[in-house]
Amino acid sequence: MTLRSMLLCLLLAAVPSAVLADGATPPSKDETYLLNQMVRIPSLSVWDSPTQEWRAPLGNEGVLPTAKVRILHLWGTYCVPCQEEFPILKQMDLQLRADYKGDVQFLFVADSQSTGGAMKDFMAAHHAGMPAGLLFRDTENKLASALLAALPQQGVSQGRAETPSERSLSLPVTLLLDGDNVVRMAVVGSLVRRRGEVVNGIAQLHRTLSALIPTGKTKVANKKDRSFQ
């Protein structure tokens, strides 16, 4: 474990990982299982508005290396809760851009089932409520499969020993990542009633990371035993 990681763990241990307001939804078991895992973000496709299709990223499109905090939001064009929460996420994204000046990056990642045709129809119906930045797609389903591998298998009690490839991720999922892409907060389900909880978590994590002492080679993470493949 690097010095950066040790300092971060100590600082986060001093405060709750998420401050729940009265009446807020408590973390689910799935959310707990995802905590402290490293997420390897695969190469993602980018939605190209002029051509109305998914394409390979160009230049530096994708993960910003300078971001201290990343919000990884996984969704699907067929997901009704995802449709309902996007106007709220659009507002959050705009506010975060203004408040953190590039220190916080929102990554909106559609799953592999959200094909070009499905995305085109979705944008025609919901474009006004969508975020202004880039929209990505987990084309090869690598990200969803990695997350499923970290979650307990479902249906085993009914005799169905399902593998990650035989299951689908329950969407939406929102992961709050530090600069090493380690999950520091996870929300499985809609953010409609949990916006304040997530915003507080972002502010807390940003303060914690900003308080870390620069140590030079701090980006070399040694978390292979807890990372997604």
Side-chain angles (χ1 to χ4, degrees), residues 135-150:
L135 300 174
F136 301 94
R137 182 188 179 209
D138 182 19
T139 306
E140 298 181 3
N141 210 44
K142 291 183 177 179
L143 185 54
S145 296
L147 293 173
L148 282 168

Side-chain angles (χ1 to χ4, degrees), residues 49-103:
S49 296
T51 62
Q52 294 287 284
E53 62 183 6
W54 295 107
R55 61 166 173 78
L58 302 174
N60 61 351
E61 290 178 337
V63 176
L64 295 177
T66 56
K68 293 181 180 178
V69 178
R70 298 186 184 94
I71 305 102
L72 189 62
H73 182 76
L74 289 83
W75 67 286
T77 52
Y78 53 87
C79 168
V80 175
C82 301
Q83 299 172 17
E84 295 173 344
E85 70 179 359
F86 259 120
I88 294 175
L89 294 175
K90 179 180 181 179
Q91 295 175 0
M92 285 180 61
D93 186 29
L94 290 172
Q95 191 63 54
L96 292 172
R97 290 170 185 262
D99 291 347
Y100 294 101
K101 311 299 182 183
D103 275 359

Side-chain angles (χ1 to χ4, degrees), residues 8 11 28 46 61 72 75 81 94-95 99 107 116 126 146 162:
L8 181 58
L11 286 170
S28 69
V46 176
E61 290 178 337
L72 189 62
W75 67 286
L94 290 172
Q95 191 63 54
D99 291 347
L107 291 170
H126 303 282
E162 297 167 313

